[in-house]
Each structure stands twice: as structure tokens, then as C-alpha cells.
Amino acid sequence: MLVALGASSYGMLVTFVKMAYHEGFSTAEVTLSQFSLGFAGLFILTLFRKKASVPETKTSGTKSIFKLVVAGTSMGLTSIFYYMAVQYIPVSVGIVLLMQTVWMGVILEMILHKKMPGLRKTVAVFIILGGTVLATNLLQQSGVRINWTGFGWGIMAAVSYTASMYASNHIELRLPPLKRSLYLILGGLITIAFIFRSALNQDFSYEIFLRWGLILSLFGTILPPLLFTRGIPLTGIGLGSIIASVEIPVSVLMAHILLKEPVSFFQWTGIVLILFAVVLMNVEKPKINPVVGPPTS
């Protein structure tokens, strides 16, 4: 549930980004406002966080902070790559490319743990991929010319998104989730500020902070890291990547409600398939314990 809620936040985010684009704001303005306000929000939350009764271990030192900041660069890159992609390709195609993290996550888990994925996980991956094609209405978009620039940005976003999943699952798990999220977002903010540093010296519109910054920071940099850092360690990167695919139906619904994009029967069918695959991955087999004595009523 935690991972699904975090992914749903990302699903709502892209619609808000497109609305900000329609008002003339740039990728630099969108990402900088999102991460700077997101970092400020997480910092305020850490000030009011209850102190743990158990003293923090050595893992909370400077070395741990550095690891989290470096790992957070993947979050910043994911936002940049994804927002750049949707400038060249439709949102539906961008979501398809971003969700390639489903099979990337499973392969990464297979390589790191040297273990083949189970049958249900493999079947769920194919169901999600098939549902993705339907949910994004690709079958109805005949004769579409592929914009390779947008395609490249989308694939790069998927790679960065997979790296973000890995960071949430492995880096400094002993630290409180709120503090981990703070340093991860700081790494993303530093990355974005470095890449778009020249934009600050030009016609940067600070109106973005009041117009869209609060919404983008809430759904893009505050809620998802908090939810992922709590949820992904419980699921693993492979299953976490699969659950995160609920971002697709959420994106479709948000685009339908706010952007007035029509949703066809094929898209609803794809959404149902994706949700079915998520349920399939989360239903555990019942454990049958040997009966030692007579059963009790």
C-alpha cells in the first residue's frame, strides 16, 4: 500500500507538470521549484519529528549522509529526464517508457541476488506490459511517428527510476525514513541546480513557486520518498517496481479528469489488467502447518 500510494503521487504529478507547461513554465522552473520546496518541507518535518528513544548508530554520520545525497541524484535525474520526455512525446507514451522500470527492476534484482524470478512475478510482468500497451492506448494510435529524442529521454528516466528504487531499498536503512528522504531529495536538488544553473541567470520565473511549486513538491518530492523509503524495504526492488506500475492507471484517470483526455474501452481494459497483476503479486500462498493434535473448533 505504501509503494502504491507513492507511485500514485507520481501518477498525479505528470498531469500537473503538463498543466504548468501549458502556462509557459520551463523544465528548469518546474524541477527547481519542486525539489527546493520539497526539501524545505521535509526539513521542517524533521524539526518536528519525535526523537527516537534509541540513540542513532554510527550509520547516521557524515559518510551515511554522503551516500544518501549521492543516491538522491537518481531522483533528480528521473524528474529531469521524464519532464524532458513529455515535451516531445504524449504523456501516455512517456508513462509507457517510464514503466519499463518494471522489467528493469526485476532484472536488476535477478542480477544482484543471482536468483531467477518466480513464476507469478514473471507472469505479472507480462500482464503489466500487456496492460500498459492497452492503458496508454497505443493500439489505437496508428501511424504514429516515433520521436527518438523523447524516446531516449523516456528510457533514461526509466533507468534513473530503477536506480531510485534501488536506493530506497538498500541505502542506509537504519536511518529514520524522514531523514533518509531529506538527504535523498537534497541530492536531487543539488543535481538539478547544477544542471540548470545557467537558467537561474536568465528569465527564470519565480512565479512557479507560488503557482505550481507547492503542488509539485507535495506529490513529487515529499510524499513519494517518504512512502517509498518505508514501503520498498518491505517488498524488495522487483516487487516494488511492479507495484509502482499503478502509476499508469492513476495517470490515465488524472489526465481524463483534469486534461479532459478521453479514455477508451481498451484503456480501461489495460487498467484492469494492471490492477489484477498487482493483486496477483501481493496474494501470498496460504501456509499449511502440520497438524500435531486434533483440530480445535
Side-chain angles (χ1 to χ4, degrees):
M1 291 180 62
L2 293 172
V3 176
L5 288 173
S8 298
S9 297
Y10 277 138
M12 292 183 279
L13 180 65
V14 68
T15 297
F16 298 140
V17 171
K18 291 288 287 188
M19 295 173 70
Y21 280 160
H22 291 162
E23 294 185 6
F25 294 108
S26 65
T27 302
E29 293 164 346
V30 168
T31 53
L32 281 171
S33 63
Q34 174 186 327
F35 274 76
S36 58
L37 291 179
F39 176 77
L42 289 173
F43 180 75
I44 293 174
L45 290 176
T46 57
L47 295 179
F48 292 96
R49 180 179 64 90
K50 293 182 179 180
K51 298 294 183 181
S53 57
V54 179
E56 295 183 358
T57 61
K58 294 181 180 179
T59 56
S60 59
T62 305
K63 185 176 181 181
S64 299
I65 295 176
F66 178 77
K67 288 181 180 179
L68 289 170
V69 171
V70 172
T73 59
S74 62
M75 291 186 173
L77 291 175
T78 299
S79 295
I80 294 175
F81 296 155
Y82 190 29
Y83 298 168
M84 291 294 294
V86 295
Q87 284 188 331
Y88 297 95
I89 56 180
V91 172
S92 60
V93 179
I95 296 172
V96 170
L97 296 176
L98 183 66
M99 283 298 102
Q100 300 309 301
T101 190
V102 171
W103 59 265
M104 291 181 183
V106 173
I107 291 178
L108 181 60
E109 187 177 57
M110 180 179 63
I111 294 174
L112 293 177
H113 299 284
K114 299 180 180 179
K115 183 178 65 174
M116 295 297 294
L119 178 61
R120 285 199 300 169
K121 183 176 291 186
T122 303
V123 171
V125 168
F126 283 103
I127 293 176
I128 287 175
L129 291 177
T132 297
V133 174
L134 294 174
T136 52
N137 210 24
L138 288 181
L139 294 179
Q140 302 300 309
Q141 298 179 12
S142 58
V144 174
R145 293 182 178 180
I146 298 178
N147 187 305
W148 291 107
T149 301
F151 184 89
W153 286 120
I155 291 297
M156 292 170 66
V159 174
S160 297
Y161 197 23
T162 306
S164 297
M165 291 281 188
Y166 177 82
S168 298
N169 188 44
H170 290 84
I171 306 298
E172 301 300 334
L173 299 181
R174 297 184 182 181
L175 285 177
L178 187 58
K179 182 171 289 187
R180 293 180 66 236
S181 301
L182 177 68
Y183 294 130
L184 288 171
I185 293 303
L186 176 60
L189 175 59
I190 293 174
T191 302
I192 292 173
F194 177 79
I195 293 177
F196 291 120
R197 61 189 185 279
S198 60
L200 296 173
N201 299 326
Q202 299 176 2
D203 298 329
F204 188 89
S205 176
Y206 291 93
E207 182 184 354
I208 185 69
F209 286 92
L210 296 177
R211 190 73 179 94
W212 291 103
L214 294 176
I215 296 177
L216 296 176
S217 62
L218 178 63
F219 290 100
T221 54
I222 295 179
L223 290 178
L226 289 176
L227 295 169
F228 283 153
T229 51
R230 284 184 177 270
I232 291 180
L234 303 176
T235 63
I237 187 173
L239 179 57
S241 300
I242 293 174
I243 297 176
S245 64
V246 300
E247 178 179 343
I248 298 174
V250 171
S251 297
V252 173
L253 289 173
M254 288 296 293
H256 176 67
I257 296 172
L258 297 181
L259 300 179
K260 308 301 181 181
E261 293 184 359
V263 183
S264 67
F265 172 78
F266 288 99
Q267 288 177 290
W268 287 119
T269 303
I271 292 173
V272 172
L273 285 175
I274 293 171
L275 295 177
F276 170 75
V278 172
V279 173
L280 177 65
M281 289 303 305
N282 284 277
V283 175
E284 298 182 356
K285 294 181 180 179
K287 296 182 180 179
I288 303 177
N289 297 323
V291 178
V292 178
T296 58
S297 58

